[in-house]
Amino acid sequence: MSVIEGDLPGRAQSLVVEWATKNHEALLKMWQTQEFQKLDGLD
């Protein structure tokens, strides 16, 4: 995974990558169907 545009501090970026990895399947499904749902944050 890489940042397309903009930047985040290292710690914030690692948390975003961890969250996106954890929710990869749900994010992909939402992208494909455009049916959005709330996803849990990191513990």
Side-chain angles (χ1 to χ4, degrees):
M1 175 185 239
S2 62
V3 176
I4 296 172
E5 186 174 325
D7 56 19
L8 288 172
R11 175 77 175 132
Q13 183 173 341
S14 67
L15 289 171
V16 170
V17 169
E18 181 181 349
W19 176 85
T21 301
K22 175 183 172 190
N23 292 291
H24 176 77
E25 289 183 29
L27 291 167
L28 184 58
K29 182 178 178 184
M30 284 189 277
W31 179 262
Q32 293 170 338
T33 64
Q34 295 295 293
E35 295 175 5
F36 303 104
Q37 63 182 3
K38 183 176 181 176
L39 300 175
D40 292 334
L42 295 173
D43 295 328

